[in-house]
Amino acid sequence: MVQTLSPPMTMADFFQASRGTWLNRRAVHHLDHQDDEAADSNLIIEPFNSDDPVVSKICDSLNIKTEDSSGGARFWWESNIKKGVRNDDYAAVVIDVPSHDDSRKGFLLRDVGYVEKQSVLSTYTFADDGVVTITTRYDTNVGIERCWFVTDQIRMRVSSVQCLDGVAMTTYCTEFRCPTDAEITGISERSQNLAMATSTSKD
């Protein structure tokens, strides 16, 4: 059931609202000589607290104080055809380090960057309407991503990668929350009970 959602205004709340499996439907536009792409996949997001061992590992690699972190989330991209097939080549761990002065701003520490495969530090900020903007500066590229919730069941994401000679790629994603096995079972049981009750009332 689709519900209205008060937009998360901190990264910790954003991760919690994003918990679960999402059907990611995306279009990628290459502004050079490559063909455009369109694809579907599953995105799995699992938040964790600041006491997770991975926090100190990633904070240490980027010379950030572990105690400044509020936790983070693990991300996996997998086929939406072969359930449960996870490949570490399509995974990332993100650590949240909120600003002491403004909880709507902060840093994200990533074990592997989306553009260049190395540990990276991004900045983020939440606008008044709940849209979060994440900026990542690599050695030769700048990635900008904006993400927001339309409802508690739908997320939108747009991003661009800008090289030294201009924008090289833009991506547009719509993400739909996938029901869990338990939710599907519950819907099935309620439907069966409703059908039985309707049948009994007619007798």
Side-chain angles (χ1 to χ4, degrees):
M1 181 177 180
V2 176
Q3 300 177 357
T4 58
L5 176 74
S6 297
M9 301 303 287
T10 69
M11 189 56 68
D13 289 342
F14 192 89
F15 284 155
Q16 288 299 330
S18 302
R19 179 189 293 274
T21 300
W22 300 79
L23 171 61
N24 175 290
R25 180 155 290 173
R26 65 190 176 277
V28 182
H29 301 286
H30 296 279
L31 305 181
D32 48 21
H33 301 294
Q34 299 184 55
D35 292 334
D36 290 349
E37 305 171 52
D40 292 349
S41 62
N42 285 347
L43 169 62
I44 300 94
I45 302 175
E46 295 182 357
F48 53 80
N49 296 323
S50 58
D51 57 356
D52 191 292
V54 76
V55 173
S56 60
K57 177 182 177 182
I58 296 178
C59 285
D60 290 346
S61 70
L62 291 168
N63 296 317
I64 302 295
K65 294 180 180 178
T66 302
E67 56 269 25
D68 289 340
S69 169
S70 66
R74 291 178 173 85
F75 294 75
W76 288 271
W77 289 263
E78 66 178 20
S79 169
N80 58 355
I81 299 175
K82 299 179 181 179
K83 182 179 179 181
V85 178
R86 293 185 177 179
N87 186 335
D88 288 342
D89 290 337
Y90 300 97
V93 178
V94 177
I95 306 298
D96 175 30
V97 180
S99 168
H100 295 297
D101 301 323
D102 187 349
S103 61
R104 289 165 54 168
K105 299 179 180 180
F107 298 93
L108 292 178
L109 318 182
R110 234 174 277 179
D111 64 335
V112 177
Y114 295 139
V115 178
E116 298 179 3
K117 300 302 182 181
Q118 60 185 23
S119 298
V120 294
L121 183 138
S122 307
T123 59
Y124 70 81
T125 181
F126 283 86
D128 292 338
D129 57 2
V131 176
V132 59
T133 299
I134 302 170
T135 303
T136 308
R137 299 184 182 278
Y138 300 92
D139 292 339
T140 59
N141 305 285
V142 177
I144 299 175
E145 179 179 26
R146 290 183 173 89
C147 185
W148 66 95
F149 285 88
V150 179
T151 70
D152 65 328
Q153 304 293 309
I154 302 173
R155 300 193 335 160
M156 301 290 292
R157 287 195 294 128
V158 297
S159 63
S160 65
V161 176
Q162 183 170 339
C163 299
L164 296 176
D165 56 352
V167 176
M169 182 179 70
T170 58
T171 304
Y172 303 85
C173 300
T174 303
E175 296 171 340
F176 305 91
R177 187 186 297 278
C178 300
T180 64
D181 291 343
E183 289 171 338
I184 294 173
T185 299
I187 293 170
S188 176
E189 291 175 349
R190 289 193 294 273
S191 299
Q192 292 175 10
N193 292 337
L194 179 60
M196 292 177 61
T198 302
S199 176
T200 301
S201 66
K202 290 181 179 180
D203 294 339

